[in-house]
Each structure stands twice: as C-alpha cells, then as structure tokens.
Amino acid sequence: MLGSPGSSSYTSTSTSQEPLFLSESSRELRELQQKTIPVVLIEGDGIGKEVSAATVQVINHALSLSSDNAEIRWEKALAGKEALTQTGELLPVETIESFLRHGAGLKGPLETPVGGGFRSVNVALRKLLDLYANVRPVRSFEGLENPLRTADQFRLVIIRENTEDVYAGLEFEAGSPEAIRLAEFLDLKGKGLDENSALGIKPISERASRRIVAKGIEYALANGLNRITLVHKGNIMKATEGAFRDWGYDEAKQILGDRFLPWKEFHLGGKTIADGKILVQDRIADAMFQDLILAPQNHQVLVTMNLNGDYLSDAAAACVGGLGLAPGLNEGDKIRLAEAVHGTAPDIAGKGIANPSALLLSGVLLLRALELPDSAKRIELALEENFSRGEVTGDLAYRHKNPHVLSTQAFADSLCQRIDKS
Ligand code: NAI
C-alpha cells in the first residue's frame, strides 16, 4: 500500500528527522512500480541444486540493488531424475504448463535415467517448447590462464539449432523391423548398405534452417557484431548440411539486403568490413574446429545445426578453460530457458564444490533477454573481479597464479559482497 498520512506506515514511530511519510511513500511507490517477473526454476539433478541455489542467491541480490526495478518470483518446477522420484514422471505436464504460462525459465542440469520414457529429458523439453535456438556465448576472463595462447581474446557465440538433425531421435536398431523395412523401401542394399545395419535419420528442414540463421543475424545486429559463420559439413552431406548452407546464405541475403557482405568480396576487398556491412561466410565443420584454436578472432557468431553445435560448444568452452564457464540460453519465439552447457557432474555432486558460474552466466543471458541489464552487468562485473583476483571454485584453481579456492556457497557469497560494492 502506498503510504498516506492515515496509513499505518505514516503512523509508525521513528526518531529520524526525515519526514517519515515522504520517505516511506517514495519507497512504497518504488515498490509499487517494481515489476515482479515470474521465472520457472528447475533446480536440476546432481550438482543442480547447489549451482541453482547459488545462482538464485546472486541474481536476487543483484536485482535488489540494481536500477532495473524488478524482482523475480521463482516458480519451482520438476523435471529429470528428481521429478521421476517424486511424481513417477520425468517431465510432468505441470512443468510444461508452467513454461507456457510464464515464458521464461532457469534450469539446472538434468539426468535422464534409463527407462524413464525419454532418450533425453533436455532434448524433450527443448522440442516440446519449440526452443529452437540454443545461444551459447564463450569468452575468456582476465586472470584465468587459458590452455591456448589465442584464448586471451576469445569471444564468440554459437547459435545451435535445437530441434532437428540426428538429435530428432529417428533411430532404428540394427535388425529391428523398422530398420529392415526402411532399408527395403529405399533399396539401401542396392546402394551398398551392409547387412544388419542400424539406421538413423537426419532431418534438416528449410524452415528450421532459415529461422536459426535469422536468429543468428538478430543476435549479431543486437550485439553490434559483424561476422556470421555458417558451419556445416555440406561437402559430404550435400542434401542436408549443404542445403542448410544454401538456405542460410539465401536467408542472410534476404534479411540483410545491402548490408550483406559475402566472403569473396571480403577477401578481395582487403579483408575489411565496411561500416554497416555484415560478413556472412561459411566453414566446413572440421575446418571450424581448427579455426577455434588457430584463429578464433575471425569469427563472432557461429550458426549451425544440432550435432555440430553440440561438439563446437564444448570445444569452444575448452578453449577458455572448460565447461565450468560455458553458459547457454534456449530460445523459441515465446519462451526462453537458461541452462549451462555442463551436465550433472555426478563425480562432485553433493560436495559443495561445483562451480555455479556457467549457470549464473546463463542467468545473465536471461536477465538481458528480460531487459534487466543493470543486474546482468553487476553480476558480470562481480564475476570478472572474482576471477581476476583468483577467487575461484576448485575446478578453476589451476588456472590462476595465486588462487583462493572457495566452496560453491562461499563463491556465491563473495559475488554478493562484490555486488554490494559495485
Ligand atoms: P558433466 O558436464 O556433468 O561433467 C563432465 C566433467 O566436468 C566432470 O568431471 C565434472 O565434474 C565437471 N564439471 C561439470 N560441470 C561442472 C561445474 N559446474 N563445476 C565443476 N566441475 C564441473 O558431463 P557428463 O559427465 O558427460 O554427464 C553427466 C550427466 O549429465 C549425464 O547424465 C548427462 O546425460 C547429463 N547431462 C545433462 C545436461 C543438461 O542437463 N543440459 C548436459 C550434459 C550432460
């Protein structure tokens, strides 16, 4: 309630010289104007609970001090092993409904127990919610030594298609009636297929290819970037990955118009990108792995299909020191779900030593997407400062000259203290 001379806040006793009703009312007015944003929270399995708790603590703290004037109402939901234990289902319908209602989520890593009815609950969630783009920025941090020299200035983003490719789950075991029928139907034996082969289908559609490339362009334009690379293996998989490249170029040309700068022109034009132009190039996937190590500075936004994107994001994370620092945001047209690249880390679960930075950086991506830039910036600065001073969790200790190793909880507390001073 907004304070007024008759309200209880006005009549409360105070020794302050300040006219109480003014300070109280302005505070309450601010609170009234404050946005409350519901965000679905799936804590996750393994280290999930530990890193989620740390992430929520730091995000809440940053929001409370920021000029974003918002708070998050965390709507807990279940998925994965914990959901199976508590409800008998890996992905309860209430969880999906909660996402559809609120449109934003933060999720710890999930384990998919064998026999739970899904190949991967993560893949199922992305497909059911049509979270077709997986945005995975990878960057190095000052103070943390990198395994690679060039990683000192490593900063790129991988935009991975999330719904198609060999991850679509269209696989048939060797000797299964489906595999036999499919082989007969397509006369695969006549095309050299071995007896008793397992078969998998790799769907790559024009619609999904175009929309992921459009997402990559949107990201580049929103973040002032001017290099887009379509990554594919179209030299071998011509009908699928080759088509992705062709649709991708076409989509880029249509969206960018005069701003489209093709690779050839860039090469002939002294390798410069004129103001306003966006270089659109492509790389064969294996060459891209080489570029990650030798010339990451030639790339800013990598757009690619599901499997390439999965491999590339772990490789890129390795270039800056591993999975502990690799965040991600799954995006559809209506729903966003932040999740780190890493898994449940069963080897360290429950020990209180997991690094929450990847999930926290995923949260930072979500905060930006929710237009809460001040809290996002405060968290990023706190992380940068912690890393440069060697305040790290155990997984990063070997990368600092003089590390001060902290538990997950102590790391979160130290970030909050830095945010207090920011
Ligand atoms: P993982 O990422 O869980 O662990 C690989 C290595 O990195 C382990 O040595 C682990 O201790 C370390 N590590 C990972 N995250 C860390 C962190 N935050 N702090 C410190 N060290 C960390 O990969 P793994 O072992 O292949 O998978 C384990 C489980 O996670 C599997 O059940 C898998 O299906 C699931 N998974 C779930 C994902 C998700 O929910 N998005 C993604 C990847 C795997």
Side-chain angles (χ1 to χ4, degrees):
M1 273 276 291
L2 181 60
S4 65
S7 75
S8 57
S9 60
Y10 174 72
T11 52
S12 73
T13 54
S14 167
T15 53
S16 161
Q17 295 302 303
E18 196 179 18
L20 181 63
F21 73 94
L22 272 184
S23 62
E24 280 282 283
S25 63
S26 59
R27 181 177 59 78
E28 289 180 0
L29 180 61
R30 222 178 31 239
E31 279 170 7
L32 257 189
Q33 289 166 335
Q34 182 168 301
K35 287 174 282 185
T36 298
I37 301 172
V39 172
V40 181
L41 173 67
I42 298 176
E43 292 177 330
D45 302 315
I47 56 168
K49 272 201 165 23
E50 300 153 60
V51 292
S52 301
T55 297
V56 166
Q57 175 189 340
V58 177
I59 289 179
N60 284 346
H61 194 71
L63 276 168
S64 73
L65 296 176
S66 78
S67 60
D68 291 327
N69 205 23
E71 62 170 11
I72 287 180
R73 189 177 74 238
W74 300 97
E75 301 277 346
K76 279 199 189 177
L78 289 172
K81 191 177 172 191
E82 194 187 351
L84 190 66
T85 314
Q86 287 195 28
T87 69
E89 285 177 83
L90 265 178
L91 192 48
V93 69
E94 292 77 17
T95 298
I96 299 296
E97 282 171 357
S98 189
F99 275 110
L100 295 175
R101 206 165 38 248
H102 301 307
L106 180 91
K107 165 189 151 313
L110 298 176
E111 184 183 332
T112 309
V114 180
F118 288 110
R119 240 166 248 262
S120 159
V121 69
N122 294 304
V123 175
L125 199 53
R126 292 171 201 153
K127 281 202 80 169
L128 276 168
L129 299 174
D130 197 26
L131 298 167
Y132 61 85
N134 191 194
V135 178
R136 292 180 161 181
V138 185
R139 57 165 289 196
S140 51
F141 284 90
E142 215 182 304
L144 295 182
E145 283 176 8
N146 287 303
L148 301 168
R149 193 170 40 85
T150 50
D152 291 346
Q153 284 170 10
F154 197 106
R155 196 180 265 262
L156 52 79
V157 59
I158 294 158
I159 312 273
R160 168 188 172 193
E161 206 290 322
N162 244 351
T163 64
E164 297 199 322
D165 205 348
V166 286
Y167 279 56
L170 303 173
E171 280 198 313
F172 308 104
E173 280 177 29
S176 65
E178 292 93 342
I180 292 168
R181 257 189 288 146
L182 190 57
E184 279 170 7
F185 179 67
L186 295 173
D187 186 25
L188 297 180
K189 268 192 201 152
K191 295 183 174 111
L193 186 81
D194 238 52
E195 199 72 50
N196 204 30
S197 291
L199 295 177
I201 292 180
K202 179 182 173 75
I204 301 292
S205 71
E206 178 173 358
R207 183 185 66 95
S209 301
R210 285 187 184 274
R211 73 176 177 175
I212 197 70
V213 171
K215 196 61 138 179
I217 294 170
E218 183 190 307
Y219 186 96
L221 295 177
N223 291 280
L225 303 172
N226 60 6
R227 285 167 189 263
I228 296 172
T229 310
L230 308 175
V231 186
H232 61 89
K233 195 74 187 151
N235 54 330
I236 305 294
M237 292 175 268
K238 296 186 196 316
T240 50
E241 304 222 354
F244 170 85
R245 175 202 53 215
D246 296 344
W247 288 321
Y249 272 124
D250 190 60
E251 185 69 19
K253 264 185 230 163
Q254 280 185 33
I255 296 176
L256 293 171
D258 288 349
R259 302 185 71 181
F260 179 83
L261 174 65
W263 168 248
K264 219 177 188 172
E265 249 176 62
F266 168 75
H267 222 66
L268 298 175
K271 297 195 175 176
T272 53
I273 304 174
D275 261 4
K277 292 276 188 182
I278 309 286
L279 169 66
V280 183
Q281 53 187 340
D282 73 283
R283 281 286 188 288
I284 306 277
D286 40 74
M288 189 61 235
F289 279 92
Q290 176 174 267
D291 270 13
L292 273 187
I293 293 165
L294 297 180
Q297 70 280 5
N298 290 344
H299 304 274
Q300 290 173 335
V301 181
L302 308 183
V303 186
T304 191
M305 289 147 285
N306 215 333
L307 180 64
N308 293 336
D310 200 3
Y311 291 158
L312 278 168
S313 44
D314 274 35
C319 292
V320 297
L323 288 174
L325 293 177
L329 183 67
N330 296 293
E331 286 189 76
D333 289 331
K334 297 204 178 98
I335 301 174
R336 297 184 181 102
L337 172 59
E339 72 172 328
V341 174
H342 65 73
T344 58
D347 51 334
I348 56 166
K351 295 185 179 163
I353 57 172
N355 185 356
S357 307
L359 189 62
L360 187 55
L361 284 165
S362 308
V364 165
L365 293 174
L366 184 66
L367 290 174
R368 290 228 159 84
L370 294 171
E371 296 179 3
L372 304 170
D374 188 38
S375 25
K377 190 78 212 154
R378 282 168 189 259
I379 295 171
E380 228 166 30
L381 288 174
L383 276 167
E384 282 169 5
E385 189 145 353
N386 258 24
F387 293 148
S388 76
R389 288 169 185 260
E391 308 249 305
V392 290
T393 44
D395 57 314
L396 297 180
Y398 76 100
R399 293 182 51 204
H400 202 274
K401 286 192 182 77
N402 191 16
H404 175 209
V405 175
L406 300 173
S407 67
T408 311
Q409 182 60 58
F411 184 74
D413 291 342
S414 73
L415 290 176
C416 289
Q417 281 159 19
R418 294 217 183 283
I419 291 168
D420 282 339
K421 293 181 201 144
S422 68

